[in-house]
Amino acid sequence: MATLIYKWLMLFWLLPGTAQEQAKEVHPFHVSTTEIQHNAAEKTLEISCRIFTDDFEDALRKVYKAKADFSAPAMKTAMDELVKKYVPAHLQLSIDGKAAAIKVLGWEKESEAVFVYMEVDNVPSVKKAEVVNTVLFDLFDDQMNLIHFFVNGNRKSVKLTYPEKTAAFAF
């Protein structure tokens, strides 16, 4: 009996598929989180976007046909360029009816996620905002993008599920 169980276990481990593919099955949800904070004193919007590292790397590879590895120190400059191209193409803001220019400040990898930090200058106040978020929509048809917007201590949140890409906020 033990031999039979052993053979079945060996068959399971010998099935096709890499460790990376098996690891992706562990995280079946495709979610990003974007936080937008109005800093009235500095007249800026401070933005952070949290994206699962493996999904983000896959999207960059697919969209730009380039090698993508957030863990490799030698790839830091290349990853900076890819992030600066990808995120503004997939995250747009308009404040009080005017398009806002998002400036990517940088990124950092923490555990299994990459945090991208951005800023919008010259935003004295926010009454209405529109956010278009298609992060990872080019990779997954079950992608969810959560957006949390903070103005004067008020938090408003929206969940966008593919193909829904636009959220409107009023403060």
Side-chain angles (χ1 to χ4, degrees), residues 43-62:
K43 298 180 182 174
T44 60
L45 291 176
E46 299 166 350
I47 306 165
S48 68
C49 191
R50 180 186 183 274
I51 307 167
F52 281 110
T53 305
D54 58 340
D55 296 342
F56 199 7
E57 289 172 344
D58 288 346
L60 294 172
R61 286 184 198 109
K62 180 180 179 181

Side-chain angles (χ1 to χ4, degrees), residues 73-137:
M75 296 236 7
K76 173 81 168 95
T77 302
M79 296 309 296
D80 288 347
E81 292 306 312
L82 290 174
V83 168
K84 285 179 182 178
K85 287 190 330 190
Y86 184 87
V87 177
H90 291 82
L91 183 68
Q92 293 92 38
L93 287 169
S94 104
I95 305 300
D96 298 328
K98 296 178 185 172
I102 297 174
K103 178 174 43 175
V104 176
L105 303 175
W107 60 270
E108 67 180 333
K109 183 179 176 293
E110 284 188 20
S111 188
E112 68 271 347
V114 172
F115 288 82
V116 180
Y117 302 105
M118 298 155 279
E119 187 174 73
V120 175
D121 293 323
N122 198 25
V123 183
S125 66
V126 178
K127 291 182 180 70
K128 291 184 182 180
E130 185 175 277
V131 179
V132 177
N133 187 338
T134 60
V135 169
L136 300 182
F137 277 16

